[in-house]
Amino acid sequence: MRATTIHGPGDIRFTEVPDPTIIEPTDAIVRVTSSCICGSDLWPYRGENPITEGATIGHECIGVVEEVGSEVRDIRVGDFVVVPFDHCDGTCAHCLAGVQSACVNLGMTTSGQGEYARVVHADGSLVRVDGVSGGAPDPALVPSLVALSDVLPTGWHAAVAAGVKPGDTVVVVGDGAVGLCGVLAASTMGAERVVVMSRHEPRQRIATEFGATHVVAERGKEGAEAIKELTGGVGADAVLECVGTDQAMGTAFAIARPGSTVGFVGVPHGVELPVRRMFQKNVGLAGGMAPVRRYLPALLDLVLAGTIDPGKVFDLTLPLDQVAEGYRAMDERRAIKVLLQP
Amino acid sequence: MRATTIHGPGDIRFTEVPDPTIIEPTDAIVRVTSSCICGSDLWPYRGENPITEGATIGHECIGVVEEVGSEVRDIRVGDFVVVPFDHCDGTCAHCLAGVQSACVNLGMTTSGQGEYARVVHADGSLVRVDGVSGGAPDPALVPSLVALSDVLPTGWHAAVAAGVKPGDTVVVVGDGAVGLCGVLAASTMGAERVVVMSRHEPRQRIATEFGATHVVAERGKEGAEAIKELTGGVGADAVLECVGTDQAMGTAFAIARPGSTVGFVGVPHGVELPVRRMFQKNVGLAGGMAPVRRYLPALLDLVLAGTIDPGKVFDLTLPLDQVAEGYRAMDERRAIKVLLQP
């Protein structure tokens, strides 16, 4: 098949690779009909994560089940499915506790930006989209369905981890696609004030469409001051850290009110947690890799009912074979998030 | 008055110092009838915290209100009170949210191991023990009343922060007085299995009296292995970190099940949080300095009803003027916690 591969920092190609195959009897192979580029794909792209030369890349996709292993019971060939980036068996203690991202049989989509993807533990992982015939959902729905694979559940997880409640003042640190989905999550959960920290007008606009009530353009110390002023000196009831850098984490802890929780979903890079401040102010930290499968059925319902439209985070759509341009656009912040169509 | 003062590492004296006086109209002066030595007093004693030479020390005490400022309404001269180590106004946003330890007018007891102590915001801080006449509670009650000043609410806070629920398997890291109170808290909250990590027989015995169902004597990697085995490989539902060292924190995160929370109350010294592991396993951290006043009324009720007897953590009682020997005994781990009587 043809798939996206990474060969070094900045070196993304669309090349011929071996087709994925059923290895375990619980596997499925999905023919990818749409996928996208994740902010976390930029870490290896920028050389900040180790790279295996020639490895396939991409972990967010939707598509049609092409083949299933002999022990797959609930998912059938021809089903149209959302593929969570993190695959899980659905039966281990961690899955049963709602932490599917720590499944003892955890798997990952590894060729999502390709023509086919292998899914381990198909029954535990995949969620069927009913009423889609012939493998072609309503084109208007496609972006939001792709968003269910990672970016929306990840933003949602930040809000859940931060304990967002109706009436809260919530601050979202990070205006990338995950941060914007965090805004959408907080707003959907009934937060009264949702503040997005963003200095980019197009992102501010989407945040506002997603329910942000306030925009703070300042960063660092000035940003923290602005939040303090906004909250009468008290601090935010919940903070969503959606970046993963030390600066973003520092801002999150600077603006969280005592007794609150910072929900974090950005893969931490060079983060040193301010444990003394956490102690003195009783500000907790919770979150991590999102258990996509936990949230997926409910979020799919919200998308199908038209209650939320997370697909708005995609501001550039490219043919799959132009994926390299998609990486460039996101790296240079010309695009928030890039949708890829075959 | 006479009070305990610190003059350098290992140099504790019982000396003459100026009497504390009413400074703000919301202050009270308490005549201390009993006090004790805290594990955290050992940090300056061991030279691991900066010392102001000649400063009074001690922050856990009970006693009789001797004098109140002109704006004190609820607390009266002659009241027998428990003095929370952290004083709070009871009216600011943080107090109202139950985070009195982050009160905007936070104060601290600074001469608890003396004859008198000044309490700022007496109405917000002090809790009266009804039915005590003449400043002399039932001697059998005294240790538990002193324990209400810090050590029990601190252990309790660890359990609250870790989200202990009925039926849980809870592991307490640290067999100091706070850890033992964490055992008592977890057990009182209905945890099904309470594991104390301890290699000291006298502490193991008190832990068992406090409700510990299991003792793990191994430390570090072996200790983590023992917990893994005990939980069928899953990990603990809640972990109480009651030490404050990097090793204890590392153990806590190694044994916490994915999706759980480490409740921490040990003042962190040289702790580097394992943010990558927290992310990958979705293990959160919550806690910090205990909001004593939040828990105090309910815990006092439990003590007065005889439901709990936290005073058992005191295994050595000394006259106040022998306080230096108390520090030595705790430093050398000859005593778990030392009660001081005038």
Coordinates of all heavy atoms in Angstrom, one line a residue, chain A residues 45-134:
Chain A
Y45 N 8.9 15.0 13.7 CA 9.1 15.9 12.5 C 10.2 16.9 12.8 O 11.0 17.3 11.9 CB 7.8 16.5 12.0 CG 7.9 17.3 10.8 CD1 7.9 16.7 9.5 CD2 7.9 18.7 10.8 CE1 8.0 17.4 8.3 CE2 7.9 19.4 9.6 CZ 8.0 18.8 8.4 OH 8.0 19.5 7.2
R46 N 10.1 17.4 14.0 CA 11.0 18.5 14.4 C 12.3 17.9 15.0 O 13.2 18.7 15.5 CB 10.4 19.5 15.4 CG 9.3 20.3 14.7 CD 8.5 21.1 15.8 NE 7.6 22.0 15.1 CZ 6.5 22.6 15.7 NH1 6.2 22.3 17.0 NH2 5.7 23.4 15.0
G47 N 12.4 16.6 15.0 CA 13.6 16.0 15.5 C 13.7 16.0 17.1 O 14.7 15.7 17.7
E48 N 12.5 16.2 17.7 CA 12.5 16.2 19.2 C 12.2 14.9 19.8 O 12.2 14.7 21.0 CB 11.6 17.4 19.7 CG 12.1 18.7 19.2 CD 11.3 19.9 19.7 OE1 11.2 20.0 20.9 OE2 10.9 20.7 18.9
N49 N 11.8 14.0 18.9 CA 11.6 12.6 19.3 C 12.4 11.7 18.4 O 12.7 12.1 17.3 CB 10.1 12.2 19.1 CG 9.2 12.5 20.3 OD1 9.7 13.2 21.2 ND2 8.0 12.1 20.3
P50 N 12.9 10.6 19.0 CA 13.7 9.7 18.1 C 12.9 9.2 16.9 O 11.6 9.0 17.0 CB 14.0 8.5 19.0 CG 13.1 8.6 20.2 CD 12.7 10.0 20.3
I51 N 13.5 8.9 15.8 CA 12.9 8.5 14.6 C 13.4 7.2 14.1 O 14.6 7.0 14.2 CB 13.1 9.5 13.5 CG1 12.4 10.9 13.8 CG2 12.7 9.0 12.1 CD1 12.9 12.0 12.9
T52 N 12.6 6.2 13.7 CA 13.0 5.0 13.0 C 12.9 5.3 11.5 O 11.8 5.5 11.0 CB 12.2 3.8 13.4 OG1 12.2 3.7 14.8 CG2 12.7 2.6 12.7
E53 N 14.0 5.4 10.8 CA 14.0 5.8 9.4 C 13.1 5.0 8.6 O 13.2 3.7 8.6 CB 15.4 5.9 8.9 CG 15.5 6.8 7.7 CD 16.9 6.6 7.0 OE1 17.9 6.5 7.6 OE2 16.9 6.6 5.7
G54 N 12.2 5.6 7.9 CA 11.3 4.8 7.0 C 10.0 4.3 7.6 O 9.2 3.7 7.0
A55 N 9.9 4.5 8.9 CA 8.7 4.1 9.6 C 7.4 4.8 9.2 O 7.5 6.0 8.8 CB 8.9 4.2 11.1
T56 N 6.3 4.1 9.2 CA 5.0 4.7 8.9 C 4.7 5.6 10.0 O 5.1 5.4 11.2 CB 3.9 3.7 8.6 OG1 3.8 2.9 9.8 CG2 4.2 2.9 7.4
I57 N 3.8 6.6 9.8 CA 3.4 7.6 10.8 C 2.0 7.9 10.6 O 1.4 7.7 9.5 CB 4.4 8.8 10.8 CG1 4.1 9.8 12.0 CG2 4.2 9.6 9.4 CD1 5.1 10.9 12.1
G58 N 1.4 8.4 11.7 CA -0.1 8.8 11.6 C -0.9 7.9 12.5 O -0.8 6.6 12.3
H59 N -1.7 8.5 13.3 CA -2.5 7.6 14.3 C -4.0 8.0 14.4 O -4.7 7.5 15.3 CB -1.8 7.6 15.6 CG -1.6 9.0 16.2 ND1 -0.4 9.6 16.1 CD2 -2.5 9.8 16.9 CE1 -0.5 10.8 16.7 NE2 -1.8 10.9 17.2
E60 N -4.4 8.9 13.5 CA -5.8 9.4 13.6 C -6.5 9.0 12.3 O -6.1 9.6 11.2 CB -5.9 10.9 13.8 CG -5.3 11.3 15.1 CD -5.3 12.9 15.2 OE1 -6.3 13.4 15.7 OE2 -4.2 13.5 14.9
C61 N -7.5 8.2 12.3 CA -8.2 7.9 11.1 C -9.6 7.3 11.3 O -9.9 6.8 12.4 CB -7.3 6.9 10.2 SG -7.1 5.3 11.0
I62 N -10.4 7.3 10.2 CA -11.6 6.6 10.2 C -11.6 5.7 8.9 O -10.8 6.0 8.0 CB -12.8 7.5 10.1 CG1 -12.7 8.5 8.9 CG2 -12.9 8.4 11.4 CD1 -13.9 9.4 8.8
G63 N -12.5 4.8 8.8 CA -12.5 4.0 7.6 C -13.4 2.8 7.6 O -14.3 2.7 8.5
V64 N -13.2 1.9 6.7 CA -14.1 0.7 6.5 C -13.3 -0.5 6.9 O -12.2 -0.7 6.5 CB -14.6 0.6 5.1 CG1 -15.5 -0.6 4.9 CG2 -15.3 1.9 4.6
V65 N -13.9 -1.4 7.7 CA -13.2 -2.6 8.1 C -13.1 -3.5 6.9 O -14.1 -3.9 6.2 CB -14.0 -3.3 9.2 CG1 -13.4 -4.7 9.6 CG2 -14.1 -2.4 10.5
E66 N -11.9 -3.9 6.6 CA -11.6 -4.7 5.4 C -11.5 -6.1 5.7 O -11.8 -7.0 4.9 CB -10.3 -4.1 4.8 CG -9.8 -4.7 3.5 CD -10.4 -4.0 2.3 OE1 -11.1 -2.9 2.6 OE2 -10.3 -4.4 1.2
E67 N -11.0 -6.4 6.9 CA -10.7 -7.8 7.2 C -10.7 -7.9 8.8 O -10.2 -7.0 9.4 CB -9.3 -8.2 6.7 CG -8.9 -9.7 6.7 CD -7.5 -9.9 6.3 OE1 -6.8 -9.0 5.8 OE2 -7.0 -11.1 6.5
V68 N -11.1 -9.0 9.3 CA -11.1 -9.2 10.8 C -10.4 -10.6 11.1 O -10.5 -11.5 10.3 CB -12.4 -9.1 11.5 CG1 -13.0 -7.7 11.3 CG2 -13.4 -10.2 11.0
G69 N -9.8 -10.7 12.3 CA -9.2 -11.9 12.7 C -10.3 -12.9 13.2 O -11.5 -12.5 13.3
S70 N -10.0 -14.1 13.4 CA -10.9 -15.2 13.7 C -11.7 -15.0 15.0 O -12.7 -15.6 15.2 CB -10.2 -16.5 13.6 OG -9.2 -16.6 14.6
E71 N -11.1 -14.2 15.9 CA -11.7 -14.1 17.2 C -12.5 -12.7 17.4 O -12.9 -12.4 18.5 CB -10.7 -14.2 18.3 CG -10.2 -15.6 18.5 CD -9.1 -15.8 19.6 OE1 -9.0 -14.8 20.4 OE2 -8.4 -16.8 19.5
V72 N -12.6 -12.0 16.3 CA -13.3 -10.7 16.4 C -14.8 -11.0 16.3 O -15.2 -11.7 15.3 CB -12.9 -9.7 15.2 CG1 -13.7 -8.5 15.3 CG2 -11.4 -9.4 15.4
R73 N -15.6 -10.6 17.2 CA -17.0 -10.9 17.3 C -18.0 -9.8 16.9 O -18.9 -10.0 16.2 CB -17.4 -11.4 18.7 CG -16.6 -12.6 19.2 CD -17.3 -13.9 18.7 NE -16.5 -15.1 18.9 CZ -15.6 -15.5 18.0 NH1 -15.4 -14.9 16.8 NH2 -14.8 -16.6 18.2
D74 N -17.7 -8.6 17.5 CA -18.6 -7.5 17.4 C -18.4 -6.6 16.1 O -19.4 -6.0 15.6 CB -18.6 -6.6 18.6 CG -18.8 -7.4 19.9 OD1 -19.6 -8.4 19.8 OD2 -18.2 -7.0 20.9
I75 N -17.2 -6.5 15.7 CA -16.9 -5.7 14.5 C -16.9 -6.6 13.3 O -16.4 -7.7 13.3 CB -15.5 -5.0 14.7 CG1 -15.6 -4.0 15.9 CG2 -15.0 -4.4 13.4 CD1 -16.5 -2.8 15.6
R76 N -17.5 -6.1 12.2 CA -17.6 -7.0 11.0 C -17.0 -6.3 9.7 O -17.0 -5.1 9.7 CB -19.1 -7.3 10.7 CG -19.6 -8.1 11.9 CD -20.9 -8.7 11.6 NE -21.3 -9.4 12.9 CZ -22.5 -9.8 13.2 NH1 -23.5 -9.5 12.4 NH2 -22.7 -10.4 14.3
V77 N -16.6 -7.1 8.8 CA -16.1 -6.5 7.5 C -17.2 -5.6 6.9 O -18.4 -6.0 6.9 CB -15.8 -7.7 6.6 CG1 -15.5 -7.1 5.2 CG2 -14.5 -8.4 7.1
G78 N -16.8 -4.5 6.5 CA -17.8 -3.5 5.9 C -18.3 -2.5 6.9 O -18.8 -1.5 6.5
D79 N -18.0 -2.7 8.2 CA -18.4 -1.7 9.1 C -17.6 -0.4 8.9 O -16.4 -0.4 8.6 CB -18.1 -2.1 10.6 CG -19.2 -3.1 11.1 OD1 -20.2 -3.3 10.5 OD2 -18.9 -3.7 12.2
F80 N -18.3 0.7 9.1 CA -17.6 2.0 9.0 C -17.3 2.4 10.5 O -18.2 2.4 11.3 CB -18.5 3.1 8.4 CG -17.7 4.3 8.1 CD1 -17.0 4.5 6.9 CD2 -17.6 5.4 9.0 CE1 -16.2 5.6 6.6 CE2 -16.8 6.5 8.8 CZ -16.1 6.6 7.6
V81 N -16.0 2.7 10.7 CA -15.6 2.8 12.1 C -14.7 4.0 12.3 O -14.1 4.5 11.4 CB -14.8 1.6 12.6 CG1 -15.6 0.3 12.7 CG2 -13.6 1.3 11.7
V82 N -14.8 4.5 13.6 CA -13.8 5.4 14.1 C -12.7 4.6 14.8 O -13.0 3.7 15.5 CB -14.4 6.4 15.1 CG1 -13.3 7.4 15.6 CG2 -15.5 7.3 14.4
V83 N -11.4 4.9 14.5 CA -10.3 4.1 15.0 C -9.7 5.0 16.1 O -9.0 6.0 15.8 CB -9.3 3.8 13.9 CG1 -8.2 3.0 14.5 CG2 -9.9 3.1 12.7
P84 N -9.8 4.6 17.4 CA -9.1 5.3 18.4 C -7.6 5.2 18.2 O -7.2 4.1 17.8 CB -9.5 4.6 19.7 CG -10.8 3.9 19.4 CD -10.6 3.5 17.9
F85 N -6.9 6.2 18.5 CA -5.4 6.1 18.2 C -4.8 5.1 19.2 O -3.8 4.4 18.8 CB -4.7 7.5 18.4 CG -4.5 7.9 19.8 CD1 -3.3 7.5 20.5 CD2 -5.4 8.7 20.5 CE1 -3.1 7.9 21.8 CE2 -5.1 9.1 21.8 CZ -4.0 8.7 22.4
D86 N -5.4 4.9 20.4 CA -4.9 3.9 21.3 C -5.9 2.7 21.4 O -7.1 2.9 21.7 CB -4.6 4.5 22.7 CG -5.7 5.5 23.2 OD1 -6.7 5.7 22.5 OD2 -5.6 5.9 24.4
H87 N -5.4 1.6 21.0 CA -6.2 0.4 20.9 C -6.2 -0.3 22.3 O -5.2 -0.3 23.0 CB -5.7 -0.6 19.9 CG -5.4 0.1 18.5 ND1 -4.6 -0.5 17.6 CD2 -5.7 1.3 18.0 CE1 -4.5 0.3 16.5 NE2 -5.1 1.4 16.8
C88 N -7.3 -1.0 22.6 CA -7.4 -1.6 24.0 C -8.3 -2.8 23.9 O -9.1 -2.9 23.0 CB -8.0 -0.5 24.9 SG -9.5 0.2 24.3
D89 N -8.0 -3.7 24.8 CA -8.8 -5.0 24.8 C -10.2 -4.8 25.4 O -11.1 -5.7 25.1 CB -8.0 -6.1 25.4 CG -7.7 -5.9 26.9 OD1 -8.4 -5.1 27.5 OD2 -6.8 -6.5 27.4
G90 N -10.4 -3.8 26.2 CA -11.8 -3.6 26.7 C -12.1 -4.5 27.9 O -13.2 -4.5 28.4
T91 N -11.2 -5.4 28.2 CA -11.5 -6.4 29.3 C -10.6 -6.4 30.5 O -10.9 -7.0 31.5 CB -11.5 -7.8 28.7 OG1 -10.2 -8.0 28.1 CG2 -12.6 -8.0 27.6
C92 N -9.4 -5.8 30.3 CA -8.4 -5.8 31.5 C -8.9 -4.8 32.6 O -9.8 -4.0 32.4 CB -7.0 -5.4 31.0 SG -6.8 -3.6 30.7
A93 N -8.3 -4.9 33.7 CA -8.6 -4.1 34.9 C -8.6 -2.6 34.5 O -9.5 -1.8 35.0 CB -7.7 -4.4 36.0
H94 N -7.6 -2.2 33.8 CA -7.5 -0.8 33.5 C -8.6 -0.3 32.5 O -9.1 0.8 32.7 CB -6.1 -0.5 32.9 CG -5.0 -0.9 33.8 ND1 -5.1 -0.9 35.2 CD2 -3.8 -1.5 33.5 CE1 -4.0 -1.4 35.7 NE2 -3.2 -1.8 34.7
C95 N -8.9 -1.1 31.5 CA -10.0 -0.8 30.6 C -11.3 -0.7 31.4 O -12.1 0.2 31.2 CB -10.1 -1.9 29.5 SG -8.9 -1.7 28.2
L96 N -11.5 -1.7 32.3 CA -12.8 -1.7 33.0 C -12.9 -0.5 34.0 O -14.0 -0.1 34.3 CB -12.9 -3.0 33.8 CG -13.0 -4.3 32.9 CD1 -13.1 -5.5 33.8 CD2 -14.3 -4.2 32.0
A97 N -11.7 0.0 34.3 CA -11.7 1.2 35.2 C -11.8 2.5 34.4 O -11.7 3.6 34.9 CB -10.5 1.2 36.1
G98 N -11.9 2.4 33.0 CA -12.0 3.6 32.2 C -10.6 4.2 31.9 O -10.6 5.3 31.4
V99 N -9.6 3.4 32.0 CA -8.2 4.0 31.7 C -7.7 3.1 30.5 O -6.6 2.5 30.6 CB -7.3 3.9 32.9 CG1 -6.1 4.9 32.6 CG2 -8.0 4.4 34.1
Q100 N -8.4 3.1 29.4 CA -8.1 2.3 28.3 C -6.7 2.6 27.7 O -6.1 1.8 27.0 CB -9.2 2.4 27.2 CG -10.5 1.7 27.5 CD -11.5 2.7 28.2 OE1 -11.1 3.7 28.8 NE2 -12.7 2.3 28.2
S101 N -6.2 3.8 28.0 CA -4.9 4.2 27.5 C -3.8 3.5 28.2 O -2.6 3.6 27.9 CB -4.8 5.7 27.5 OG -5.3 6.2 28.8
A102 N -4.1 2.8 29.3 CA -3.1 2.0 30.0 C -3.5 0.5 29.9 O -3.0 -0.3 30.8 CB -3.1 2.4 31.5
C103 N -4.3 0.2 28.9 CA -4.6 -1.3 28.7 C -3.4 -2.1 28.7 O -2.3 -1.7 28.2 CB -5.3 -1.4 27.4 SG -5.7 -3.1 26.9
V104 N -3.5 -3.3 29.4 CA -2.3 -4.2 29.4 C -2.0 -4.7 28.0 O -0.9 -5.2 27.8 CB -2.6 -5.4 30.4 CG1 -2.8 -4.8 31.8 CG2 -3.7 -6.2 30.0
N105 N -2.9 -4.6 27.1 CA -2.6 -5.0 25.7 C -2.7 -3.8 24.8 O -3.2 -3.9 23.7 CB -3.6 -6.1 25.3 CG -3.4 -7.4 26.0 OD1 -2.3 -7.9 25.9 ND2 -4.4 -7.9 26.6
L106 N -2.2 -2.7 25.3 CA -2.3 -1.4 24.5 C -1.7 -1.6 23.2 O -0.6 -2.1 23.0 CB -1.5 -0.3 25.3 CG -1.7 1.1 24.8 CD1 -3.1 1.6 24.9 CD2 -0.7 2.0 25.5
G107 N -2.3 -1.0 22.2 CA -1.8 -0.9 20.8 C -2.0 0.5 20.3 O -2.6 1.3 20.9
M108 N -1.4 0.8 19.2 CA -1.4 2.1 18.6 C -1.6 2.0 17.1 O -1.1 1.1 16.4 CB -0.1 2.9 18.8 CG 0.2 3.2 20.3 SD -0.7 4.6 20.9 CE -0.3 4.5 22.6
T109 N -2.4 2.9 16.5 CA -2.4 3.0 15.1 C -1.1 3.5 14.6 O -0.6 4.5 15.1 CB -3.5 4.0 14.6 OG1 -4.8 3.6 15.2 CG2 -3.6 4.1 13.1
T110 N -0.5 2.8 13.6 CA 0.9 3.2 13.2 C 0.9 3.6 11.7 O 2.0 4.1 11.3 CB 1.9 2.1 13.5 OG1 1.4 0.9 12.8 CG2 2.1 1.9 15.0
S111 N -0.2 3.4 11.0 CA -0.1 3.8 9.6 C -1.4 4.5 9.3 O -2.0 4.3 8.2 CB 0.1 2.6 8.7 OG -0.9 1.7 8.8
G112 N -1.8 5.4 10.1 CA -3.1 6.1 10.0 C -3.1 7.0 8.7 O -4.1 7.2 8.1
Q113 N -1.9 7.6 8.4 CA -1.8 8.4 7.2 C -1.4 7.5 6.0 O -0.5 7.9 5.3 CB -0.8 9.5 7.5 CG -1.2 10.5 8.5 CD -0.1 11.3 9.2 OE1 1.1 11.1 8.8 NE2 -0.4 12.0 10.2
G114 N -2.1 6.4 5.9 CA -1.8 5.5 4.8 C -3.1 4.9 4.3 O -4.2 5.4 4.7
E115 N -3.0 3.9 3.4 CA -4.3 3.4 2.9 C -4.9 2.4 3.8 O -6.1 2.2 3.7 CB -3.9 2.8 1.5 CG -3.5 3.9 0.5 CD -3.2 3.3 -0.9 OE1 -2.4 2.3 -1.0 OE2 -3.6 3.9 -1.9
Y116 N -4.1 1.7 4.6 CA -4.7 0.7 5.5 C -4.0 0.8 6.9 O -2.9 1.2 7.0 CB -4.5 -0.7 5.0 CG -5.2 -1.0 3.7 CD1 -4.6 -0.8 2.4 CD2 -6.5 -1.4 3.7 CE1 -5.2 -1.0 1.2 CE2 -7.2 -1.6 2.5 CZ -6.5 -1.4 1.3 OH -7.2 -1.6 0.1
A117 N -4.8 0.5 7.9 CA -4.2 0.5 9.2 C -4.6 -0.8 9.9 O -5.8 -1.3 9.8 CB -4.7 1.7 10.0
R118 N -3.7 -1.3 10.7 CA -4.0 -2.5 11.5 C -4.5 -2.0 12.9 O -3.9 -1.1 13.5 CB -2.7 -3.3 11.7 CG -2.9 -4.5 12.7 CD -1.6 -5.4 12.8 NE -1.7 -6.3 13.9 CZ -0.9 -6.4 14.9 NH1 0.2 -5.6 15.0 NH2 -1.1 -7.3 15.9
V119 N -5.5 -2.7 13.4 CA -6.0 -2.3 14.7 C -6.0 -3.6 15.5 O -6.5 -4.6 15.2 CB -7.5 -1.9 14.6 CG1 -8.0 -1.6 16.0 CG2 -7.6 -0.6 13.8
V120 N -5.2 -3.5 16.7 CA -5.2 -4.7 17.5 C -6.4 -4.6 18.5 O -6.9 -3.5 18.8 CB -3.9 -4.8 18.3 CG1 -2.7 -4.9 17.4 CG2 -3.7 -3.6 19.3
H121 N -7.0 -5.7 18.8 CA -8.2 -5.8 19.7 C -9.3 -4.9 19.1 O -9.8 -3.9 19.7 CB -7.8 -5.3 21.1 CG -7.0 -6.3 21.8 ND1 -7.4 -7.5 22.3 CD2 -5.6 -6.4 21.9 CE1 -6.4 -8.2 22.8 NE2 -5.3 -7.6 22.6
A122 N -9.7 -5.4 17.9 CA -10.8 -4.6 17.2 C -12.0 -4.5 18.0 O -12.6 -3.4 18.1 CB -11.1 -5.4 15.9
D123 N -12.5 -5.5 18.7 CA -13.7 -5.4 19.4 C -13.6 -4.4 20.6 O -14.6 -3.7 20.9 CB -14.1 -6.8 20.0 CG -14.8 -7.7 19.0 OD1 -15.2 -7.2 17.9 OD2 -14.8 -8.9 19.2
G124 N -12.5 -4.4 21.2 CA -12.3 -3.4 22.4 C -12.1 -2.0 21.9 O -12.4 -1.1 22.7
S125 N -11.6 -1.8 20.7 CA -11.2 -0.5 20.3 C -12.1 0.2 19.4 O -12.5 1.4 19.6 CB -9.8 -0.6 19.5 OG -8.9 -1.3 20.3
L126 N -12.6 -0.5 18.3 CA -13.3 0.2 17.2 C -14.7 0.6 17.7 O -15.4 -0.2 18.4 CB -13.3 -0.6 16.0 CG -12.0 -0.9 15.4 CD1 -12.1 -1.9 14.2 CD2 -11.3 0.4 14.9
V127 N -15.2 1.7 17.2 CA -16.6 2.1 17.4 C -17.3 2.3 16.0 O -16.8 3.1 15.2 CB -16.7 3.4 18.2 CG1 -18.1 3.9 18.3 CG2 -16.2 3.1 19.6
R128 N -18.3 1.5 15.8 CA -19.0 1.6 14.5 C -19.9 2.8 14.4 O -20.5 3.3 15.4 CB -19.9 0.3 14.4 CG -20.7 0.2 13.1 CD -21.4 -1.1 13.0 NE -21.8 -1.6 14.3 CZ -21.4 -2.8 14.8 NH1 -20.6 -3.6 14.1 NH2 -21.8 -3.2 16.0
V129 N -19.9 3.4 13.2 CA -20.8 4.5 12.9 C -22.0 3.9 12.2 O -21.8 3.6 11.0 CB -20.1 5.6 12.1 CG1 -21.0 6.8 11.9 CG2 -18.8 6.1 12.8
D130 N -23.1 3.8 12.8 CA -24.2 3.2 12.2 C -24.8 4.1 11.0 O -24.7 5.3 11.1 CB -25.3 2.9 13.2 CG -24.9 1.8 14.1 OD1 -24.3 0.8 13.7 OD2 -25.2 1.9 15.4
G131 N -25.4 3.4 10.1 CA -26.1 4.1 9.0 C -25.2 4.7 7.9 O -25.6 5.4 7.1
V132 N -23.9 4.3 8.0 CA -23.0 4.7 6.9 C -23.0 3.5 5.9 O -22.5 2.5 6.2 CB -21.6 5.0 7.4 CG1 -20.7 5.4 6.2 CG2 -21.7 6.1 8.4
S133 N -23.5 3.7 4.7 CA -23.5 2.6 3.7 C -22.4 2.9 2.6 O -22.1 4.1 2.3 CB -24.8 2.5 3.0 OG -25.1 3.7 2.3
G134 N -21.8 1.9 2.2 CA -20.8 2.0 1.1 C -19.5 2.7 1.5 O -18.8 3.1 0.6

